[in-house]
Every structure is written in C-alpha cells, then in structure tokens.
Amino acid sequence: MTPPRRIALIGNSLPRRCGIATFTTDLLRAISNSGPNLQACVVAMTDRDQAYDYPASVVLQIRDDNLQEYARAAASLNAGRFDVVCLQHEFGIFGGDAGAYILELLTRLTVPVVTTLHTVLASPSAIQRTVTERIVEASAKVVVMADKGRELLHSVYRVPHEKIEVIAHGIPDFPFVAPDTAKARLGFSGRSVILTFGLLSPSKGIEVMIDAMPSILRRRPDAVYVVLGATHPNLVRDQGEAYRESLTARVRELGVEDHVVFLNQFVDQATLLEFISMCDVYVTPYLNEAQMTSGTLAYSFGLGKPVVSTPYWHARELLADGRGILVSFGDAAGIGHEIAELLTDAPRRQAMRKRAYATSRSMTWERTAERYITTFEHARQGHRLKVIARAAPEAIAPLSPAGAPDMRLEHFLSMCDDTGLFQHAVHSVPDRAHGYCVDDNARALLLACALNEPGEQPLPEILTGCFAAFVQHAWNPDTRRFRNFMGFNRTWLEDRGSEDSHGRTLWALGGCARKDASVSRRRWAATLFAEALPAAAAFRSPRAWAFTLLGLDAYCATAPDDLHAREIRHLLAGKLMSSLSSVETTDWVWFEDGLAYDNARLPQALVATGMATQTPSYVEAGLRSLRWLTTQQGATGHFRPVGTAGFGDRRKPPRAFDQQPLEATATIAACLTAWRADGDAEWKALATKVFCWFLGSNDLSVALVDSETGSCRDGLHPDRANENCGGESVVSYLLAVADIRQLGRADVNPKNPVSLRAVGT
C-alpha cells in the first residue's frame, strides 16, 4: 500500500475553545510529524457569529449554519487531490438538525473519508440515528476511541466490525516525574493537589467534588482542589458566568474557600501539562455515563496520575483492572473517601501512577498517528476497490430480451407450504418464525397469472389455489379490509393491514380476474375485488392508489360495465395527478416530497390508466415522472435502486443503500408499460439494463440471483449482499424474469400512445 501524502482534517481548530479543536490540532501536529513527505491541513468549522485567528494550517473554514459553504468545501477538497479526508464528528459542531449539514459535504466528496466519532449514542433520536448512519455510509472507515464505541456501532447502527477501528485518544509523550517541581513553579508547594481541567459546564459534576472536600479535609487538611479551565463558550453566550458563580457560592457555603481554586483560563498545551504534572490526584466527576471520549482523562492518565472518576464509558475501560478508581455518579461521599485514601497512602498512589504511565505508552500521539495513517491507507485501498467494483458492471454484456434467463422455480416452491408463501428465509431456508403475509401471497398470485402467458409453464393448480385461498382468508368482512400478517400457527396478527397491502391485494385480484386459468377462480377474484374496492376510495397512500389502479386496469377489462369501478379509477388517478401537481418543481418531478419503496408503480399506474381510459394527460404525467425517476436511479451508469436508508428524506437525491429487488422489478414493469404507451425503444433498453442489476451490474458487482434455483438475495448492503432469500425477493425476481421474457417475445412496436393497453406486471 502506498502511504497517503495529502490529508485534510475536518473539525474545529484552535484557537476555538473546545475539546474537538484541541484534538484536531493535536492530531494534525502528530500526522504532520510522521514523515517528511506528508502534508496535512485543516478545514475548520466556525460557529455562528464568531471569528478566529486561525493558523496557516487551516486552509478553509465553514460557517456551521451556511449550507452552501459545505458544498463549496467539498468541491475544494475534490479539486485539491487529497488522498484522504478525516472528519472529526461531534453533535453540535455542524449545522442543521443533529448536524445534518455535514452530509452536504460528505455526499459530494470523491475522496475516501475516515470519520472519528467522538460520541456514539446508545439511544439516538430518529434524526440522530439517520445522520449517524449516513455519515457511516459515506465513510470508508470509522474510528472510535473505546471498545464501547465499537460495540454500539455494531449493535445499534449495524456497522460491520471490519469497518470500525478503535484508536485510543492520543497523549503527549511526557516524562514520568514527581509533582513537587511543578508545584513549586505554580505556587502549590506543600499542598496535596487534586485537579480537574477542561471547559466548565454542568455535565462535569464539579459541584459533586466540591461537596466531597469537607470529608477530604478531615483527613488531609493540606488538600486543595484546582479547577482549571474557562467556562464553555456556548454556556457563556447563553447564560454568562451563572454556573461558575453558583459553584463559588457553594464553596462559600461549605466554608472551603481556602481549599478550592478556580482558574478561569484556556491554557496552551505546555501550561496544561505543567498543571497536570503538579497534581497528586486527578478527578473526573462527570455526570453522564454516555461519555465515549475524554481528552482530559487520557492526558492525565498518560502523565501517570492516579485518577478517581465516575464510571462513564471511557473511564470504565481505561481505568479497569486497578489502573484507576471508579466511583458511582453523584456520590460525593464515595469520591471523598477514595481521594482521601489515595492522599494518605503514598505507596498505593505511587504504584497506581507507575501502572497508568506504563499502560499509556501505546497511546502517545506518535503511536496514535501511526494507527491513523495505517487506517488511511486501508481506507484508500477500499475506496479504490469500490471504484473498480462500480466500474466493473460496464464490462457485463448487455442483456438481450431474447436471452432472458429461464424461469427457474425451485427456490420459490421451497418457500411455499400448504398455507402459502413464507415471508422470510435464513439464507435459502424458509424462516417459519415470521410466518406469512398477504403482501407476498398477493405477489405470488400475480406471478401465477404471469405464468399463464404463452411461452410460460403455469404453476401447479394446487399452488395457485393456495395463494387464492390465502387472499380469501385475509379478507375481513367485519372491517371490509384485508389482514396482512399471519403467524406460522395460522393466527392473524391484526384485524386489518395497511392501505398499501389492501391495494396490492386488489391488484392481485384484478390480475387473477383477468388471467387466471380457472374460470371459477376468475369469477371468485372479480367478486372479491368488487367487494373490497370501495375501501380504496378513502385511502391516503399514493402507493395504495397506484396498486389499486393497476388492479382496476385488469378488472375493468373483464367488467367494463362496472360504473362504480370506473368512478374509483378516475378518482384515484385524479389523486395521483393532484399529488404530482402540488409537489412537482423543475428539479423534483414526483408525487411526494421523498422517495420510498415501489416507486415506479406510481407512474406505471398513471400510464396504464391513461391508455385504458384514453386520457393523454395521465399518460404524459406518468411518462414525465418515470423519466425523472429513472434519471435519479441511473446516474452511476448502471441501475441503482432507491436505498431504504433514504426513506423519509425530503427532496434529497436517493441514498445508495440498502438496495432491494422490489425496486428493480417495479422499474422494469413501468418501463415496459411506458414502451407500450409511446413505442420508444429506449424504454426496452432501460428495462434490460435494470434487469442486469440482478445479474451483477450493480454497485458491488455482485449477482443477487442463483440461475439454477431462481433464488434471489434480499438486497445489497453497502459492503455485501444480504444472504437471506425471502419471499418478496424471489417473487420480485421471477416477476422481472417474466417481464423480460415477455419483452423478448414481443414483435409489435406501438406507435399511438393511447391506443394500446398496458399489460405489464
């Protein structure tokens, strides 16, 4: 591996007063000292209404509330030919909800990113989780400073272990010295010194330590507690010095004015190290367990100081096995007792000092920089492989419709029993624990109809009857809705399913009424369709409207005199048109403010309805929105479905992962419907391009299907395929095969956009 030469750090920078600024500056210095040919610089985050006299190492600054500056910074980093960008992430230093503005920069970068997460939340809010997941997705590697961070990233955010590096907070390489010399220089000779340093804020628990002082003084009357650090700038801005003043008032109330010293200073590193050097005990009485990183703890431990701390996550790991002392949160009596014990037991204190200093030698900034540079090298290598993988699909020969795969049903059949199609699988083995759903059995009924087309082998009659029976059993006459989820014991888990599952079941019933091989079952499907249709008139989900319209397209061909069905058809098509009209702009040609699942079914439903009802405005709107959608999904040169991570995003480009077969199948069917509408051969070409996503023309160059069994993996994660092959995935793939095979048999090139009917699945 070639070492990186140009590295940019994004984060706060001195002289801004905060822990991230100190860390970024220290890391920059350590990396810059790692080799003569290595260049490192900082892109500094500047908080609102502030200005700083940054050093020359800061080559660019971003005002945290200015979204355009994030985009401009990305462009500058891309143009600067950096090998790696290293982001220092902490909630609160970037603009937007939960710091979401940083995503504007990350999503534009072409440079590999290594992100240091200074905080990993165990119970994030929805927006905090989304932002964290998107940052991780954009990063080639993620660095945390404690094993607890690795654990949370894996268990809470589903980050694979191989993407995470644990690199300890760096420390200065300072000699192991007795405190007396520094005490003399700083004016504390003859005192037993307890020290806390860092920006002052209520979360630091200083009041707990003040409350402990009387008990300490009873055993060590010479003790003095030094609180070194300026009040946090944000606290000063919002509340002035009210917190510091409350602490001094507490000191007076306890009568310990001669034993507590507040030094309201933000000191440079040399001064800081001298203060640490002079203390006998260092204390971090923090109040919050979820403190993943503490630079003050790392520095004091690294100088070989006995540490008494509350058991926040970083302290719990660093001070384990007798390397320090842990006391419960808010326990003034416990802290007082442990500090007094140390101050009155010199041999124990010295042994703890030596143990801490010896353990910390692997944490020096020199060693930390080496770990980071190795991580940068791995990130660059992974980035190159990803670029190669994304280019590789171009080498896959385009699929001709005539060369469509065989219809292989082995896995599909293995996923069925006498109740219906199972929802999920563990690898290729049906997972009985999750039972069944009407969504998947309705899709299976659509597949049965598709296999009644000329040139296909129909499903066994008993199996088609099984899917129909599941749909019939799902109908709840009391609620006039279809249930969706059923346990393996054939017990329904709800009285009614979602609007989308109801619409999808209507779609399957419409298809069955038109294409089933059994005359009796066609009558059954038409009857149940008519009974279940009225509920759709009140639906609010655009996808439920679209699914119902696709069902109406088939049903109305068999029941042209059903006036009520025709009315609902125009009602739902009108709702889609109204949604498009109210949301559409020049750069967002869509029905909603965001993209979600089964997206292409919305334009497909409008095009199909427009052709069937001779309504050109429906066709035109459907084609227009479908063109926009396919542009969003094809910007990489190969098909990239809208990823599930982006569900809920508002007017943002689609997220890349997770990618699911459902989206490819919907897009193929919509393209074929569009081709039947306007005869443009480009739609056929696009349909076959999308189908190649199943075969490996995708972001990971991984085939999702087994051509021998017809199984289909459940999707693509950022780093791998989902090895489970569930019901939705296998039916989606087989429906796509049916469409591509039908395209291969087509010998008509339609000219009139509204004279032909759409028959796509």
Side-chain angles (χ1 to χ4, degrees):
M1 292 184 291
T2 304
R5 298 300 182 191
R6 286 175 57 77
I7 298 165
L9 305 181
I10 302 174
N12 297 349
S13 175
L14 296 176
R16 182 173 176 177
R17 296 181 173 186
C18 74
I20 300 296
T22 301
F23 181 90
T24 304
T25 302
D26 287 344
L27 180 59
L28 174 78
R29 184 185 299 118
I31 290 172
S32 298
N33 291 336
S34 296
N37 298 321
L38 200 152
Q39 300 175 355
C41 63
V42 174
V43 175
M45 300 303 307
T46 299
D47 46 344
R48 58 186 178 181
D49 303 324
Q50 300 296 315
Y52 301 100
D53 184 17
Y54 289 122
S57 56
V58 174
V59 297
L60 188 67
Q61 59 178 301
I62 302 171
R63 287 174 292 174
D64 60 10
D65 60 350
N66 190 318
L67 190 60
Q68 290 72 30
E69 291 190 5
Y70 291 84
R72 285 196 289 270
S76 295
L77 290 168
N78 290 335
R81 299 183 180 278
F82 287 93
D83 295 311
V84 174
V85 168
C86 184
L87 173 70
Q88 305 307 310
H89 179 268
E90 178 64 274
F91 289 105
I93 70 173
F94 306 107
D97 291 344
Y101 281 7
I102 191 60
L103 300 174
E104 186 73 13
L105 188 156
L106 294 179
T107 55
R108 294 170 180 265
L109 280 180
T110 58
V111 182
V113 177
V114 173
T115 295
T116 302
L117 294 174
H118 290 258
T119 294
V120 182
L121 298 174
S123 301
S125 67
I127 184 63
Q128 287 170 334
R129 174 187 289 276
T130 296
V131 170
T132 301
E133 289 177 345
R134 291 192 63 181
I135 289 171
V136 170
E137 178 184 320
S139 304
K141 287 282 187 179
V142 181
V143 176
V144 290
M145 302 185 205
D147 287 328
K148 181 67 175 182
R150 182 202 293 271
E151 174 194 322
L152 290 175
L153 282 176
H154 185 66
S155 62
V156 178
Y157 301 91
R158 306 184 306 278
V159 182
H161 284 301
E162 59 269 20
K163 193 170 188 175
I164 308 168
E165 297 291 338
V166 179
I167 303 178
H169 193 297
I171 59 172
D173 192 0
F174 197 83
F176 184 73
V177 295
D180 295 342
T181 302
K183 283 183 184 181
R185 281 196 297 266
L186 294 172
F188 289 93
S189 294
R191 307 293 297 270
S192 296
V193 179
I194 309 157
L195 177 68
T196 292
F197 79 86
L199 292 173
L200 204 62
S201 67
S203 65
K204 299 297 178 66
I206 304 300
E207 56 271 35
V208 178
M209 182 57 212
I210 291 172
D211 289 347
M213 284 304 296
S215 65
I216 295 171
L217 292 171
R218 281 193 288 272
R219 298 179 62 185
R220 288 297 312 207
D222 65 337
V224 59
Y225 178 39
V226 179
V227 182
L228 172 64
T231 307
H232 197 291
N234 292 346
L235 196 63
V236 173
R237 183 183 62 217
D238 297 337
Q239 303 176 18
E241 290 287 2
Y243 177 63
R244 182 179 293 273
E245 291 166 0
S246 72
L247 294 177
T248 57
R250 195 167 194 143
V251 169
R252 288 193 298 270
E253 290 171 9
L254 293 173
V256 293
E257 297 97 319
D258 295 336
H259 299 275
V260 178
V261 177
F262 290 98
L263 298 174
N264 189 358
Q265 306 171 33
F266 189 87
V267 299
D268 60 22
Q269 187 180 91
T271 304
L272 171 61
L273 296 180
E274 189 157 32
F275 269 96
I276 299 174
S277 179
M278 70 117 178
C279 79
D280 296 289
V281 174
Y282 185 79
V283 59
T284 56
Y286 299 165
L287 303 178
N288 182 9
E289 178 190 43
Q291 174 108 10
M292 189 62 65
T293 306
S294 171
T296 67
L297 173 66
Y299 273 37
S300 300
F301 184 80
L303 265 67
K305 294 299 170 181
V307 179
V308 176
S309 176
T310 50
Y312 54 91
W313 288 333
H314 190 190
R316 199 181 303 169
E317 289 187 21
L318 194 61
L319 304 181
D321 301 325
R323 296 189 292 268
I325 297 173
L326 298 177
V327 180
S328 300
F329 293 104
D331 184 1
I335 286 180
H337 172 76
E338 294 296 349
I339 291 176
E341 286 287 304
L342 280 174
L343 292 179
T344 55
D345 190 342
R348 182 187 177 209
R349 195 167 67 246
Q350 184 69 2
M352 191 175 292
R353 288 190 64 211
K354 290 180 179 179
R355 190 179 303 119
Y357 190 81
T359 303
S360 67
R361 292 310 84 201
S362 63
M363 296 166 53
T364 63
W365 276 116
E366 182 182 0
R367 303 281 83 80
T368 296
E370 290 173 357
R371 293 285 310 279
Y372 266 96
I373 290 171
T374 299
T375 300
F376 294 158
E377 292 171 356
H378 290 151
R380 290 180 69 210
Q381 182 183 49
H383 186 73
R384 283 195 299 271
L385 291 173
K386 184 176 286 188
V387 170
I388 292 169
R390 289 180 177 176
E394 300 298 327
I396 296 177
L399 178 74
S400 67
D406 293 336
M407 184 68 69
R408 302 304 297 263
L409 300 175
E410 286 88 339
H411 180 65
F412 172 73
L413 296 175
S414 75
M415 287 290 293
C416 301
D417 66 1
D418 60 355
T419 298
L421 175 66
F422 286 106
Q423 274 195 88
H424 297 297
V426 180
H427 288 242
S428 61
V429 178
D431 182 3
R432 296 178 175 180
H434 292 93
Y436 319 83
C437 66
V438 78
D439 275 330
D440 291 343
N441 281 273
R443 292 185 182 102
L445 189 57
L446 282 171
L447 176 63
C449 296
L451 295 183
N452 288 329
E453 292 287 339
E456 300 292 358
Q457 180 67 41
L459 285 181
E461 168 64 22
I462 192 171
L463 194 56
T464 303
C466 181
F467 301 141
F470 192 99
V471 169
Q472 175 62 53
H473 190 39
W475 174 245
N476 186 341
D478 295 331
T479 63
R480 315 298 291 174
R481 292 282 293 274
F482 291 101
R483 306 174 181 92
N484 191 13
F485 296 110
M486 173 191 279
F488 180 66
N489 61 359
R490 293 189 177 184
T491 299
W492 289 107
L493 306 180
E494 57 192 358
D495 291 330
R496 68 170 67 188
S498 66
E499 291 183 2
D500 288 3
S501 65
H502 190 101
R504 188 176 285 107
T505 309
L506 285 171
W507 177 12
L509 287 169
C512 185
R514 187 180 184 191
K515 292 186 179 179
D516 198 283
S518 165
V519 174
S520 176
R521 202 156 46 234
R522 289 201 300 270
R523 291 173 182 157
W524 159 80
T527 301
L528 185 54
F529 182 97
E531 189 174 4
L533 178 61
F539 285 170
R540 302 177 65 181
S541 163
R543 279 159 190 77
W545 303 339
F547 300 154
T548 303
L549 284 171
L550 292 170
L552 281 162
D553 187 59
Y555 172 80
C556 289
T558 65
D561 297 328
D562 189 332
L563 298 180
H564 183 57
R566 289 161 58 182
E567 290 173 1
I568 292 182
R569 186 188 225 179
H570 282 290
L571 172 69
L572 298 183
K575 288 184 176 184
L576 278 178
M577 293 290 287
S578 295
S579 292
L580 181 62
S581 175
S582 64
V583 174
E584 180 180 5
T585 61
T586 54
D587 60 352
W588 188 266
V589 188
W590 197 240
F591 306 83
E592 304 166 292
D593 282 325
L595 293 165
Y597 71 96
D598 247 348
N599 295 290
R601 298 300 184 184
L602 279 65
Q604 180 191 1
L606 271 184
V607 174
T609 302
M611 286 195 293
T613 62
Q614 302 290 301
T615 311
S617 61
Y618 294 171
V619 176
E620 192 281 328
L623 294 175
R624 185 172 75 252
S625 55
L626 182 60
R627 287 192 187 96
W628 178 85
L629 176 65
T630 55
T631 299
Q632 301 299 306
Q633 296 183 130
T636 57
H638 53 268
F639 178 67
R640 174 185 281 173
V642 174
T644 59
F647 293 2
D649 287 355
R650 293 175 61 84
R651 293 184 182 265
K652 295 288 186 182
R655 304 266 291 280
F657 297 99
D658 291 342
Q659 300 177 18
Q660 297 190 335
L662 189 73
E663 298 306 312
T665 300
T667 306
I668 291 168
C671 287
L672 296 191
T673 302
W675 168 66
R676 295 185 181 101
D678 68 5
D680 187 344
E682 185 63 27
W683 293 117
K684 294 168 62 177
L686 182 56
T688 56
K689 174 184 174 181
V690 173
F691 187 82
C692 287
W693 177 85
F694 287 104
L695 308 180
S697 183
N698 53 50
D699 282 306
L700 302 186
S701 297
V702 170
L704 281 87
V705 296
D706 181 342
S707 59
E708 295 299 316
T709 67
S711 67
C712 180
R713 293 163 166 176
D714 281 349
L716 289 180
H717 297 311
D719 58 335
R720 67 195 187 284
N722 185 333
E723 293 298 334
N724 299 326
C725 303
E728 178 185 295
S729 301
V730 66
V731 176
S732 294
Y733 171 62
L734 295 176
L735 285 170
V737 172
D739 272 337
I740 293 298
R741 286 166 62 85
Q742 187 182 69
L743 180 60
R745 293 189 291 268
D747 57 4
V748 176
N749 186 15
K751 300 296 184 183
N752 187 337
V754 294
S755 64
L756 295 170
R757 298 192 44 76
V759 294
T761 55

